């Protein structure tokens, strides 16, 4: 169990640029989640996958955000035309199926939009 | 929609003492799961303890235990024999059981400081 890994750890970009983050879940986990966390707040749900199917998307996930998990393994989260309000920590988590299965989180990608 | 409220933005405890962190939630569902997660500074979030709503017995994990009051929709975390390594943000979280909802709903967190 190597844990959930996220890349990059930090990303600084200029407003209007596109950014892409990657998440590698724990290998036997078929569920993968993306959350956003701003300073002093709890994580806010963005979207989740079961295998390659995207099952749920939050209203927070505007049309500038897109997430994929093409082969049911790693996932990418892309933000197009970044805005300063997108600055946050983006957390990825994975879990086994089953609503009681706990989420295992990665270290996150900290995005700063200047 | 379900909500999770943590009314204590910050708490402080003396090393080796006991502290209780509060959490209340709002739901119309009868079956769900509750979690406490710990997020140390600049480190990843880790699970502390989990409670199934259909179980009356309060969950315990070593020095961590919960007081689950379903009727009152309350889910507090007790940390006994506090250690310096317990200093972190603590988040209470709710998750529905059944259906396709995978969303884990978090409170805003309580920052716990441990004094030596």
């Amino acid at each position: 169990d190597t844990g959930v890994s996220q890349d990059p750890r930090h990303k600084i970009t200029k407003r209007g640029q596109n950014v892409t983050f990657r998440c590698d879940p724990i290998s036997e986990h078929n569920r993968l989640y993306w959350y956003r966390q701003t300073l002093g707040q709890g994580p806010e749900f963005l979207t989740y996958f079961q295998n390659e199917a995207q099952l749920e998307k939050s209203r927070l996930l505007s049309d500038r955000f897109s997430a994929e998990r093409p082969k049911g393994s790693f996932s990418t989260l892309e933000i197009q035309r970044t805005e300063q309000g997108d600055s946050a920590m983006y957390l990825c988590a994975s879990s086994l199926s089953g609503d009681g299965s706990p989420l295992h989180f990665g270290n996150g990608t900290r995005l700063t939009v200047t | 929609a379900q909500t999770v409220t943590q009314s204590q933005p910050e708490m402080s405890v003396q090393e080796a003492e006991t502290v209780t962190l509060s959490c209340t939630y709002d739901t119309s569902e009868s079956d769900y799961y509750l979690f406490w997660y710990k997020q140390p500074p600049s480190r990843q979030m880790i699970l502390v303890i989990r409670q199934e709503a259909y179980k009356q017995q309060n969950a315990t994990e070593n020095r961590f235990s919960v007081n689950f009051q379903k009727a009152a929709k309350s889910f507090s975390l007790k940390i006994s024999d506090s250690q310096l390594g317990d200093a972190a943000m603590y988040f209470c979280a709710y998750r529905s059981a059944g259906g396709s909802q995978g969303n884990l709903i978090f409170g805003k967190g309580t920052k716990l400081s441990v004094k030596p």
Side-chain angles (χ1 to χ4, degrees):
Chain A
D1 179 358
T2 57
V4 177
S5 62
Q6 292 187 245
D7 184 68
R9 290 293 303 274
H10 303 276
K11 179 69 177 180
I12 300 174
T13 191
K14 291 185 177 180
R15 189 177 55 184
Q17 298 295 304
N18 299 344
V19 295
T20 300
F21 310 141
R22 175 178 172 125
C23 172
D24 287 88
I26 293 171
S27 57
E28 61 266 29
H29 287 180
N30 55 1
R31 287 189 176 180
L32 186 147
Y33 310 78
W34 286 99
Y35 281 81
R36 181 172 69 187
Q37 186 178 24
T38 53
L39 199 62
Q41 300 294 317
E44 296 173 299
F45 171 75
L46 293 178
T47 188
Y48 100 96
F49 294 83
Q50 175 136 333
N51 300 313
E52 65 275 12
Q54 189 173 17
L55 293 188
E56 192 175 348
K57 291 195 290 186
S58 164
R59 288 172 296 175
L60 291 175
L61 210 67
S62 76
D63 56 6
R64 296 186 298 106
F65 288 68
S66 63
E68 294 183 343
R69 194 182 183 197
K71 296 182 179 180
S73 56
F74 74 91
S75 175
T76 57
L77 177 68
E78 181 184 17
I79 308 174
Q80 296 182 327
R81 304 181 303 280
T82 52
E83 301 172 356
Q84 287 188 319
D86 296 332
S87 296
M89 177 74 83
Y90 289 84
L91 298 172
C92 178
S94 70
S95 77
L96 296 169
S97 293
D99 299 316
S101 298
L103 273 61
H104 297 254
F105 284 85
N107 285 311
T109 293
R110 180 166 295 284
L111 173 66
T112 302
V113 182
T114 62
Chain B
Q2 297 85 8
T3 58
V4 176
T5 303
Q6 293 179 250
S7 59
Q8 306 154 317
E10 296 188 25
M11 290 284 285
S12 180
V13 64
Q14 203 72 33
E15 193 176 7
E17 296 295 306
T18 295
V19 65
T20 298
L21 307 184
S22 301
C23 172
T24 58
Y25 57 95
D26 188 23
T27 185
S28 59
E29 299 172 333
S30 60
D31 198 12
Y32 48 86
Y33 298 89
L34 296 164
F35 305 83
W36 278 97
Y37 279 85
K38 169 185 177 182
Q39 189 175 40
S42 301
R43 295 184 64 185
Q44 68 189 122
M45 194 169 310
I46 58 174
L47 177 70
V48 175
I49 201 165
R50 181 187 74 167
Q51 175 79 42
E52 295 95 333
Y54 61 85
K55 288 188 177 179
Q56 292 186 335
Q57 186 174 9
N58 288 324
T60 61
E61 284 288 340
N62 302 314
R63 298 182 296 107
F64 298 88
S65 62
V66 298
N67 183 4
F68 173 49
Q69 301 289 328
K70 191 172 184 179
K73 296 180 183 175
S74 171
F75 183 60
S76 60
L77 175 69
K78 185 171 82 171
I79 305 174
S80 304
D81 186 24
S82 296
Q83 300 175 0
L84 295 178
D86 295 333
M89 284 291 293
Y90 285 82
F91 293 97
C92 178
Y94 170 102
R95 188 184 211 176
S96 297
S100 63
Q101 185 173 355
N103 190 1
L104 194 62
I105 302 167
F106 286 86
K108 290 189 175 182
T110 296
K111 183 178 181 180
L112 178 66
S113 303
V114 181
K115 297 178 181 178

